[in-house]
Amino acid sequence: MALRKYYACRDECKAQVLGYPNSVFKSFAVYDEAVAFSQGASSHSAKRKISDAAVPAQKLARIEAPFDGLTVYTDGSSRGNGRLGARAGYGVYWDDPEYHHLNVSRRLDGEVQTNNRAELTAILTAVEACPVPSKPLRIFTDSQYALNGTTVYTLTPAITKWMPQWRKNNWKTSTGSQVQNKALLLALDAAFLARPVRPLLVHVRAHAGTRGNEMADALANKGAMLPATDGQ
């Protein structure tokens, strides 16, 4: 049986739908119309059934097949990013309450305290901590750098993949400079390849009200305020 849920925020609905096979999401002017559509009525007939008492709020219907896997949100934060004295942290938030003991709020290791390093470290931490490696894993991130920098594991085929070109160019950018975070990118790539089921990186818009992203963001900001680790 299809699962039906309703959201007031389009971005939140889209984030939840991505990764589900044969999923559908659609916007409606009022709540009753969304309910009627999800129960099999056409958009046109659903409009005729709406009463004067219908709630005049934007709602979204989601009709999807169950996702037999794990969902995690990751985020990085750097206070003073790119400047001397910056301090970075990262957060990992598991969607299923059963795995909340795996949630992470940590200060970033090392001298380079950048947001990009924090984002990549958060994703790597999630992959390595996945409690059921045999299940599909969806990793929601708001980092375009992470999505572009990793090899092929995204839900959006149009996203440019930088890593294959970096490999061809001996890990140099198009301007001839050395690629930053090479070791971390390679570690993340190896972690993805080591899993029996490849993880999927999914982009979620930052600060758009998506609960998992907001929780990961809070954990990352908290981590950035923790004391420096050894070597910093």
Side-chain angles (χ1 to χ4, degrees), residues 164-185:
Q165 191 61 42
W166 286 339
R167 291 181 189 274
K168 290 180 181 179
N169 293 343
N170 196 27
W171 288 92
K172 291 186 178 180
T173 67
S174 58
T175 61
S177 60
Q178 291 293 325
V179 172
Q180 296 182 359
N181 306 317
K182 174 185 174 182
L184 190 51
L185 285 163

Side-chain angles (χ1 to χ4, degrees), residues 25-61:
F25 72 99
K26 182 178 176 64
S27 61
F28 298 91
V30 292
Y31 178 72
D32 285 6
E33 184 180 343
V35 173
F37 177 82
S38 68
Q39 293 175 347
S42 67
S43 297
H44 181 69
S45 61
K47 289 179 181 178
R48 293 201 304 264
K49 295 179 180 179
I50 297 172
S51 67
D52 293 337
V55 179
Q58 183 79 359
K59 296 288 181 178
L60 289 170

Side-chain angles (χ1 to χ4, degrees), residues 158-222:
I159 290 177
T160 301
K161 311 300 187 301
W162 294 337
M163 189 179 288
Q165 191 61 42
W166 286 339
R167 291 181 189 274
K168 290 180 181 179
N169 293 343
N170 196 27
W171 288 92
K172 291 186 178 180
T173 67
S174 58
T175 61
S177 60
Q178 291 293 325
V179 172
Q180 296 182 359
N181 306 317
K182 174 185 174 182
L184 190 51
L185 285 163
L186 287 173
L188 184 57
D189 197 49
F192 274 40
L193 288 170
R195 285 181 53 87
V197 180
R198 300 288 173 80
L200 292 173
L201 281 180
V202 186
H203 183 255
V204 59
R205 191 154 64 95
H207 311 299
T210 303
R211 174 175 169 75
N213 176 254
E214 298 293 343
M215 296 299 292
D217 177 73
L219 291 169
N221 285 319
K222 180 181 177 182

